[in-house]
Amino acid sequence: MSDIPVNANEDNEAKETVSRNFIENEIDKDLKEGNYTSVHTRFPPEPNGYLHIGHAKSILLNYGLAKEYGGKFNLRFDDTNPTKEKTEFVDSIKADVEWLGADYEDRMFFASDYFDQMYEAAVKLIKKGKAFVCDLTADQIREYRGSFDTPGKNSPYRDRSVEENLELFDNMKNGMYKDGEKVLRAKIDMASPNINMRDPVIYRVAHMSHHNTGDKWCIYPMYDFAHPIEDAIEGITHSICTLEFEDHRPLYDWVVRELEYEYPPRQIEFAKLYLTNVVTGKRYIKKLVEEGIVDGWDDPRLVSIAALRRRGFTPESIRMFVELCGISKSNSSVDYAMLEYCIREDLKSKRPRIMAVLDPVKLIIDNYPEDKTEYFEVPNNLENEGLGTRKVAFSRELYIDRDDFMIEPPKKYFRMFPGNEVRLMNAYFAKCVGYETDENGKVTVVHCEYDPETIGGECSTRKVKGTIHWVSAAHSVPAEVRLYENLVDEEKGVYNEEDGSLNLNPDSRKILKDCRIEESVKGAKAYDSFQFVRQGYFCVDVKDSSDDALVFNRIVSLKSSFKL
Ligand code: ATP
Ligand code: MG
């Protein structure tokens, strides 16, 4: 989406054309030619699962267009299918759309509220001689339909009279037939090169309760018939959907034309968003949830919107991501690293940078007084002075990260090892003078001596190559930290070629129970995020964290080879 307003002046015209996507170009043309006088879009989820990052693209595209053209945006639950829908999903979808900032105001609708109008529309088609009740079985219908290179055959029921069709359709509605016994079909063209146009089924018998209309109906409209009607009823101008519906567009146009809507909506398709090595697609996410491979729809390893939110992604980062992806007519896959780039960009100057030790080992400063505590005033974010400063406690016993110490370091290792001096970030220079191990040779304590002259970590007479972070043992708080990696094995790809199963990464979640974080983190609430210096961005978990037992999710590490 471009940020350039529609009424940008002539001087900007060249620039404007370059940055506008093809949907904007189509809308511009429609407005110029007077096909429409305003823009009205919708997001039409089926409430059969949680939304994912792909839906975020669709939401932000539709909402963004409505906003850009000063038009309207509807949230419409496409709940015409009585089998799979649940109110749990309706609630989660609303929450996700709102969180993304796509304000639908009071424009929330349910397609099932239009069942009466859809029924009337079907009757209208019958009266026009454009629809007929067919007694062929599902298998026969498929057989009669032909294939890509063979034309279809007319159903023997195709020439029923209008009166007979009206009566039979009424009987269908009144529950006189079993599921599958009869269907209503559009009468279009069995020889059409487009199979979707070969007398498609538009209504079926299904004796099922619907979550909204209960047992009122035992016939339900098919998607290709229902969707254009939903759009037309709501006054949608541009019905934006994904590429797999391109071949259905002639049917969409046929429905709105035959029903003679005064302002027929128009369908425009764009390519779905796919992420490399990431499981998108409601069906697959559902499987992971149901098989217990992840802990629910909001498991932070998923890319459902609920999961991204829980992990610590912000609406701003998702918006940036969607804009960077752009809108296209051909399917392609975007690297997950780009999403990571966006959250880093968003948080980098917004959130405080604090010290956290994820795998602690004790560091004792032998020459520091036992009962002393010093406080260093430290900026919260060097790139954003507005975030102010905080006081960080320093004392004789600290924790440092285990991998910041080595007994026998390789070349180019500049952190703590016996005899080496490093900077304890913001505090002092300290030189390693020894260490203790347990019976297995595991290091339990590192000893060092500090130089009081290097207060603040500054020294004019000598340099050190390594700077490490630390927390004061007595002034830090314990926390659990969860590190995430890709859910699927990147080497092998998402799907197993032989049986289509997922290639799972066994190390997709690592739980660190004994982390220590500087005490400024106390009072952090769900969704609060921080940069832990040298480690990455972390967010307080909404489900499992409490004031006394903090739990953090790693949103993203600091480093990446990703370049824009
Ligand atoms: P999935 O394929 O994940 O099961 P869906 O298409 O069945 O999703 P719907 O609830 O029917 O899910 O989708 C609502 C809207 O979101 C539709 O307009 C659909 O085209 C769009 N959408 C779904 N997946 C993507 C995606 N990956 N990228 C962009 N838009 C998407
Ligand atoms: Mg769908």
Side-chain angles (χ1 to χ4, degrees):
M1 272 161 278
S2 102
D3 287 321
I4 302 167
V6 246
N7 53 1
N9 64 31
E10 302 284 338
D11 298 353
N12 279 336
E13 211 166 321
K15 194 172 150 210
E16 201 185 326
T17 333
V18 172
S19 59
R20 292 179 86 66
N21 65 52
F22 75 92
I23 297 180
E24 291 168 318
N25 289 335
E26 288 298 315
I27 295 178
D28 289 345
K29 212 167 99 203
D30 277 340
L31 293 174
K32 204 167 154 200
E33 291 173 1
N35 301 335
Y36 301 100
T37 51
S38 61
V39 172
H40 196 156
T41 59
R42 87 290 173 258
F43 173 65
E46 200 183 335
N48 62 351
Y50 279 62
L51 300 182
H52 54 65
I53 184 80
H55 296 112
K57 177 166 184 171
S58 176
I59 293 165
L60 293 170
L61 170 64
N62 280 292
Y63 172 70
L65 288 168
K67 221 174 116 186
E68 178 185 347
Y69 289 94
K72 292 180 189 152
F73 167 73
N74 292 4
L75 170 61
R76 180 205 310 146
F77 290 97
D78 203 338
D79 60 349
T80 52
N81 188 345
T83 42
K84 300 170 281 186
E85 288 137 11
K86 278 204 217 159
T87 36
E88 175 199 352
F89 297 133
V90 170
D91 294 338
S92 76
I93 290 172
K94 271 162 65 177
D96 290 347
V97 172
E98 286 165 20
W99 180 73
L100 283 171
D103 184 5
Y104 51 87
E105 297 165 10
D106 56 354
R107 314 193 59 78
M108 181 178 87
F109 303 101
F110 289 86
S112 57
D113 286 337
Y114 311 142
F115 279 158
D116 283 306
Q117 283 134 294
M118 292 175 192
Y119 178 79
E120 289 309 322
V123 168
K124 179 168 180 157
L125 289 184
I126 295 174
K127 286 185 177 160
K128 288 178 77 176
K130 298 284 182 175
F132 65 98
V133 173
C134 184
D135 299 2
L136 294 180
T137 64
D139 284 340
Q140 288 170 322
I141 289 178
R142 211 170 300 122
E143 205 184 297
Y144 274 63
R145 191 159 44 208
S147 66
F148 188 68
D149 32 41
T150 49
K153 269 192 312 191
N154 282 352
S155 159
Y157 305 99
R158 198 173 199 263
D159 295 321
R160 278 177 164 154
S161 69
V162 168
E163 289 68 36
E164 190 184 359
N165 280 320
L166 284 173
E167 192 187 325
L168 293 174
F169 188 50
D170 196 48
N171 291 346
M172 277 172 69
K173 182 181 85 157
N174 293 332
M176 291 177 58
Y177 310 119
K178 292 197 289 290
D179 291 6
E181 201 177 320
K182 283 190 171 35
V183 292
L184 184 72
R185 298 175 67 176
K187 196 191 277 189
I188 311 181
D189 178 8
M190 288 308 288
S192 170
N194 183 336
I195 294 181
N196 295 304
M197 299 297 272
R198 296 184 187 169
D199 294 2
V201 174
I202 58 178
Y203 255 99
R204 63 185 170 125
V205 177
H207 292 272
M208 277 192 274
S209 289
H210 185 280
H211 75 101
N212 182 21
T213 55
D215 292 321
K216 179 173 176 196
W217 297 93
C218 63
I219 53 171
Y220 291 96
M222 304 303 285
Y223 180 89
D224 282 339
F225 178 65
H227 205 85
I229 296 177
E230 295 158 23
D231 286 339
I233 290 172
E234 292 177 13
I236 300 304
T237 54
H238 297 84
S239 177
I240 295 162
C241 65
T242 41
L243 230 45
E244 71 273 23
F245 291 102
E246 195 167 19
D247 292 343
H248 298 239
R249 191 185 338 129
L251 180 52
Y252 185 101
D253 291 341
W254 184 90
V255 172
V256 294
R257 191 172 61 244
E258 292 300 339
L259 293 174
E260 299 163 52
Y261 289 111
E262 196 177 350
Y263 300 104
R266 165 179 180 199
Q267 174 179 307
I268 301 179
E269 310 85 19
F270 73 102
K272 272 195 174 178
L273 169 66
Y274 294 100
L275 286 176
T276 314
N277 289 327
V278 172
V279 184
T280 45
K282 264 189 242 166
R283 260 174 317 255
Y284 292 103
I285 295 184
K286 195 164 176 219
K287 205 160 163 251
L288 289 170
V289 173
E290 283 170 357
E291 289 176 7
I293 293 165
V294 295
D295 299 338
W297 285 91
D298 59 355
D299 185 301
R301 288 168 292 180
L302 294 173
V303 289
S304 64
I305 297 177
L308 291 168
R309 177 168 60 231
R310 180 170 174 197
R311 180 136 170 198
F313 281 83
T314 58
E316 291 80 4
S317 64
I318 310 262
R319 279 202 287 272
M320 188 195 304
F321 175 68
V322 164
E323 292 200 9
L324 282 176
C325 289
I327 306 297
S328 141
K329 262 271 181 209
S330 57
N331 280 319
S332 64
S333 212
V334 178
D335 206 304
Y336 183 79
M338 191 155 108
L339 187 57
E340 296 189 317
Y341 165 85
C342 293
I343 186 65
R344 274 193 213 100
E345 281 298 300
D346 186 44
L347 297 181
K348 120 180 134 181
S349 58
K350 268 194 200 165
R351 304 299 307 155
R353 299 174 182 184
I354 64 174
M355 293 194 282
V357 173
L358 301 189
D359 183 10
V361 63
K362 191 152 271 179
L363 177 75
I364 298 181
I365 308 169
D366 294 342
N367 61 341
Y368 195 88
E370 267 186 46
D371 46 7
K372 184 174 168 181
T373 304
E374 267 182 279
Y375 287 88
F376 292 107
E377 179 122 1
V378 173
N380 283 325
N381 187 321
L382 284 171
E383 290 178 46
N384 179 1
E385 275 183 22
L387 289 184
T389 60
R390 68 184 187 285
K391 289 197 160 56
V392 181
F394 184 85
S395 64
R396 185 171 194 267
E397 295 200 3
L398 309 177
Y399 287 113
I400 60 170
D401 254 305
R402 188 165 287 281
D403 65 5
D404 281 338
F405 172 78
M406 282 185 102
I407 301 171
E408 289 175 37
K411 269 196 184 142
K412 299 212 173 151
Y413 183 91
F414 302 120
R415 294 171 270 166
M416 277 248 166
F417 56 88
N420 190 41
E421 187 174 48
V422 300
R423 177 185 293 107
L424 296 172
M425 191 178 282
N426 299 311
Y428 292 104
F429 282 15
K431 184 175 188 166
C432 180
V433 294
Y435 59 91
E436 298 168 33
T437 56
D438 65 12
E439 63 277 14
N440 303 315
K442 186 176 174 190
V443 177
T444 50
V445 180
V446 178
H447 288 272
C448 68
E449 287 178 357
Y450 85 119
D451 175 359
E453 300 299 315
T454 59
I455 188 159
E458 312 275 351
C459 177
S460 55
T461 54
R462 63 188 192 280
K463 288 198 161 111
V464 285
K465 279 200 168 147
T467 298
I468 65 175
H469 62 276
W470 48 271
V471 295
S472 167
H475 305 88
S476 55
V477 294
E480 175 178 319
V481 172
R482 299 171 180 172
L483 305 180
Y484 301 106
E485 278 180 27
N486 207 330
L487 197 54
V488 296
D489 188 326
E490 290 182 36
E491 310 272 293
K492 295 190 191 145
V494 181
Y495 305 104
N496 188 325
E497 279 180 12
E498 273 162 29
D499 58 2
S501 62
L502 293 166
N503 288 320
L504 293 169
N505 169 9
D507 300 319
S508 60
R509 180 173 63 188
K510 196 164 151 195
I511 298 182
L512 306 174
K513 296 253 183 214
D514 305 309
C515 309
R516 307 287 308 191
I517 307 181
E518 61 168 78
E519 59 189 342
S520 70
V521 81
K522 269 188 195 160
K525 294 281 173 271
Y527 301 118
D528 282 353
S529 59
F530 301 85
Q531 183 188 118
F532 292 171
V533 288
R534 299 179 62 221
Q535 327 235 31
Y537 292 95
F538 295 78
C539 178
V540 178
D541 188 74
V542 62
K543 281 202 172 153
D544 300 333
S545 190
S546 67
D547 284 347
D548 315 320
L550 287 168
V551 176
F552 282 87
N553 297 311
R554 181 169 70 193
I555 311 169
V556 64
S557 58
L558 283 183
K559 296 210 178 63
S560 162
S561 51
F562 177 81
K563 292 245 162 38
L564 260 194

